[in-house]
Amino acid sequence: MGLIIAYILFLLNLMSIIPTMYPLYIWKLVTTGSWRRFGDRLLLKVGEAWIENNYRISRMLYGVQFEVIGEGYQNLKQDGRYMIICNHQSWSDIYIIQSVLNRKIPLIRFFIKDSLKYVPILGHAWLALDFPFVKRSSREQLKKNPELATKDLENVKKVCEKFAGMPFSILNFLEGHRRTPERVQKLLKKNPYQNLLRPHSGGISVVSTALRNSLDAFIDLTIVYPTENPSFLDLMRGKIRKLKVFVEVIPAPLVPIEENEQFAPMSKKMKRWVDERWALKDALISKEKQPK
């Protein structure tokens, strides 16, 4: 019964943004300059309210609480420019990250497959809020035409141009996939971590290089769930009520961002940095899992 109530409330919250989102989106399309920026600000308020109400629903139904640990968390700014990295275990990760950082940094955006812009309501909301849509070639397409990889990277860099000079927060799941038991077993021999999947540094290196003159800091989040293999359904059912989120804010000058865009996709120094971060995450999660 609780799951049905949660589903209805989350759905109602999503539907509640329609009366304000669509008129504001149309306003954006037909205006320019300061008038358009005014519409953008109002749309951001709508997005932040939607995120806040989602958290209120889970807190009201189940008393869900997130314990946030990290000194730099208090110094984040709503007008900052951030790159966010995080371990990825389930679809609930995005909900948790949004809830923890909402209204502390600019609205969090993440790269979305171009085809998802046609999803009713959510797709339109992502468009209205300027989420970056990218066209990615499939593995089969890349095998037939390797040059598509260069085209995909150029597409990502072009998308990043819109964020230069404005406050932004971009979320990047470096593992590329959710950490499911099936995927862990499949990648067992190639994975050096106990609690994580091997991260990929190419994407974040390209984005970081494209935005290197704008970035303030990297926000490194580590979500530690109280159970193994959590799912978003577990969160909606109230099976996950407390969890820890470790936050480390790393100033951009301390991150080895590749300056040459040509070398960014294969940057060795960024790969070493990412591998070091993941080793620290893995050790932290293992420590938290030990019996107290």
Side-chain angles (χ1 to χ4, degrees):
M1 187 64 183
L3 177 61
I4 296 174
I5 294 174
Y7 178 80
I8 292 172
L9 290 176
F10 280 122
L11 183 60
L12 287 174
N13 186 36
L14 179 61
M15 299 296 289
S16 70
I17 70 175
I18 292 177
T20 50
M21 181 193 72
Y22 280 104
L24 287 172
Y25 183 34
I26 295 172
W27 174 275
K28 273 188 61 171
L29 295 176
V30 300
T31 58
T32 58
S34 59
W35 287 107
R36 176 166 180 162
R37 289 192 292 273
F38 175 72
D40 280 331
R41 288 195 295 271
L42 292 181
L43 277 166
L44 290 175
K45 297 296 183 185
V46 172
E48 290 169 348
W50 176 70
I51 292 169
E52 176 65 23
N53 288 336
N54 278 334
Y55 179 50
R56 285 177 176 174
I57 290 169
S58 58
R59 191 171 55 192
M60 176 186 70
L61 288 177
Y62 308 117
V64 171
Q65 294 180 349
F66 305 137
E67 182 182 355
V68 182
I69 303 167
E71 295 179 2
Y73 175 71
Q74 305 298 330
N75 299 322
L76 295 172
K77 302 178 297 182
Q78 273 197 292
D79 60 349
R81 298 168 176 86
Y82 302 109
M83 188 75 65
I84 306 167
I85 59 175
C86 185
N87 55 315
H88 193 23
Q89 297 184 75
S90 78
W91 293 116
S92 57
D93 297 338
I94 294 177
Y95 164 78
I96 293 164
I97 294 168
Q98 286 179 327
S99 298
V100 167
L101 296 177
N102 189 39
R103 292 180 173 145
K104 291 180 172 55
I105 62 176
L107 185 78
I108 299 171
R109 298 175 174 91
F110 42 87
F111 288 94
I112 303 174
K113 291 181 181 179
D114 190 71
S115 58
L116 293 180
K117 67 173 62 172
Y118 304 107
V119 174
I121 304 178
L122 271 179
H124 300 149
W126 290 328
L127 280 169
L129 291 167
D130 291 323
F131 273 63
F133 287 89
V134 292
K135 294 180 179 179
R136 294 173 181 167
S137 304
S138 66
R139 187 172 298 178
E140 291 73 20
Q141 290 173 322
L142 290 173
K143 285 181 179 179
K144 294 179 181 179
N145 187 2
E147 293 182 0
L148 288 175
T150 302
K151 186 176 180 181
D152 290 345
L153 290 173
E154 288 297 326
N155 185 25
V156 171
K157 286 189 285 187
K158 187 175 181 180
V159 168
C160 289
E161 290 176 1
K162 71 165 62 176
F163 295 113
M166 61 178 282
F168 63 81
S169 302
I170 300 178
L171 170 63
N172 199 321
F173 287 118
L174 304 189
E175 291 160 297
H177 302 281
R178 289 171 291 128
R179 187 178 180 273
T180 62
E182 296 78 17
R183 192 162 280 122
V184 169
Q185 189 61 35
K186 180 180 179 181
L187 302 175
L188 191 60
K189 294 182 180 179
K190 299 180 180 180
N191 187 20
Y193 308 106
Q194 293 183 352
N195 310 288
L196 306 166
L197 296 179
R198 185 189 292 273
H200 305 284
S201 60
I204 192 174
S205 181
V206 169
V207 176
S208 301
T209 297
L211 295 170
R212 63 189 180 280
N213 296 322
S214 302
L215 273 172
D216 292 330
F218 284 67
I219 303 175
D220 186 357
L221 301 179
T222 304
I223 301 175
V224 182
Y225 286 90
T227 60
E228 289 290 334
N229 307 317
S231 68
F232 186 66
L233 198 59
D234 291 335
L235 193 68
M236 290 186 68
R237 286 175 171 171
K239 290 185 177 181
I240 300 174
R241 302 198 177 193
K242 290 185 179 181
L243 54 81
K244 293 183 179 180
V245 181
F246 292 84
V247 182
E248 185 171 356
V249 181
I250 307 163
L254 300 182
V255 180
I257 299 173
E258 184 65 60
E259 293 190 4
N260 191 320
E261 292 189 358
Q262 183 180 353
F263 301 144
M266 304 296 292
S267 175
K268 292 183 179 179
K269 58 183 181 181
M270 180 59 86
K271 184 180 185 306
R272 284 195 296 269
W273 182 80
V274 167
D275 288 343
E276 289 170 1
R277 299 308 309 174
W278 247 244
L280 292 172
K281 283 179 181 292
D282 199 45
L284 174 60
I285 295 173
S286 293
K287 180 180 177 181
E288 288 297 315
K289 286 184 175 180
Q290 293 177 358
K292 304 299 182 182

